[in-house]
Amino acid sequence: MLEKTGVPAASDLENVMPSEERLNRGPVAVIECFQNIPCNPCYTACSRNAIKEFEDINDLPNIDHEACNGCSLCVSKCPGLAIMIMDMTYSEQEALIKIPYEFLPLPKENDLVKGLDREGKPVCEAKVIKVMNPKSFDKTPILSIAVKKEFAKIVRNIGMGDEDGR
Ligand code: SF4
Ligand code: SF4
């Protein structure tokens, strides 16, 4: 599925998802990087050494979720937009997810938007909590959005328009 559509299968996601126990302890990075390409800014961005040194530049990133504190430095440095932060402790009902976002215009804080799944389909309502727009050319803006906890593993993007055709 991944090779044909660019959308990871459930089994691909299971392999990179932190344990439920780790997810329930606070913010942590989820790295959905599945292709062996010559790239390692995630490793160089991580000052906690949570992402292990690459033996070969084409290696897939290897993250220690115990060492990761969800700081999100790697999120804005990844050219493949492959990393998100998941915080299941945000509130009783909601998770906070931080996603890289390259489209313009950027949403504004407190905007109500649609949470889109990995295929771009709207699946839930989402609220924009924070917009980080680094000035540096090699950093991608990061949106912090709140979604109901049951959608935290499903939402990977936001939509501000007519994604479901209605
Ligand atoms: S979120 Fe921070 S600590 Fe975690 S892997 Fe990324 S840079 Fe490292
Ligand atoms: S920076 Fe992104 S695309 Fe590059 S290896 Fe790391 S996770 Fe994969």
Side-chain angles (χ1 to χ4, degrees), residues 29 42 45-48 50-51 63 67-75 85:
C42 53
C46 183
S47 55
R48 294 177 66 86
I51 298 174
I63 179 171
C68 171
N69 68 353
C71 72
S72 80
L73 287 174
C74 57
V75 177
I85 306 294

Side-chain angles (χ1 to χ4, degrees), residues 15-26:
N15 287 338
V16 298
M17 212 37 87
S19 67
E20 289 298 316
E21 192 274 333
R22 174 64 191 86
L23 284 171
N24 290 330
R25 264 193 283 126

Side-chain angles (χ1 to χ4, degrees), residues 113-126:
V113 295
K114 288 174 182 165
L116 308 183
D117 68 12
R118 287 168 177 79
E119 295 180 62
K121 292 189 200 138
V123 289
C124 66
E125 300 301 317

Side-chain angles (χ1 to χ4, degrees), residues 86-104:
M86 206 179 288
D87 181 3
M88 300 298 276
T89 65
Y90 178 62
S91 77
E92 200 169 319
Q93 306 285 339
E94 292 175 314
L96 189 76
I97 61 176
K98 298 185 181 181
I99 53 172
Y101 191 78
E102 282 192 324
F103 298 106
L104 292 173

Side-chain angles (χ1 to χ4, degrees), residues 33-155:
C33 181
F34 301 110
Q35 287 183 317
N36 297 89
I37 50 171
C39 180
N40 73 351
C42 53
Y43 160 66
T44 56
C46 183
S47 55
R48 294 177 66 86
N49 293 323
I51 298 174
K52 300 301 166 203
E53 187 169 3
F54 289 38
E55 285 181 17
D56 183 291
I57 189 75
N58 293 295
D59 285 349
L60 297 180
N62 177 13
I63 179 171
D64 175 0
H65 291 126
E66 292 302 314
C68 171
N69 68 353
C71 72
S72 80
L73 287 174
C74 57
V75 177
S76 65
K77 291 290 279 183
C78 169
L81 312 186
I83 310 176
M84 65 183 286
I85 306 294
M86 206 179 288
D87 181 3
M88 300 298 276
T89 65
Y90 178 62
S91 77
E92 200 169 319
Q93 306 285 339
E94 292 175 314
L96 189 76
I97 61 176
K98 298 185 181 181
I99 53 172
Y101 191 78
E102 282 192 324
F103 298 106
L104 292 173
L106 290 170
K108 297 185 295 302
E109 290 175 9
N110 295 318
D111 277 357
L112 293 176
V113 295
K114 288 174 182 165
L116 308 183
D117 68 12
R118 287 168 177 79
E119 295 180 62
K121 292 189 200 138
V123 289
C124 66
E125 300 301 317
K127 182 176 181 182
V128 178
I129 304 298
K130 194 170 175 189
V131 179
M132 268 178 51
N133 188 9
K135 298 294 171 226
S136 169
F137 75 94
D138 65 342
K139 291 185 182 169
T140 306
I142 298 176
L143 306 182
S144 299
I145 60 172
V147 296
K148 288 240 173 80
K149 282 188 183 180
E150 59 262 40
F151 294 106
K153 290 183 181 174
I154 298 171
V155 171

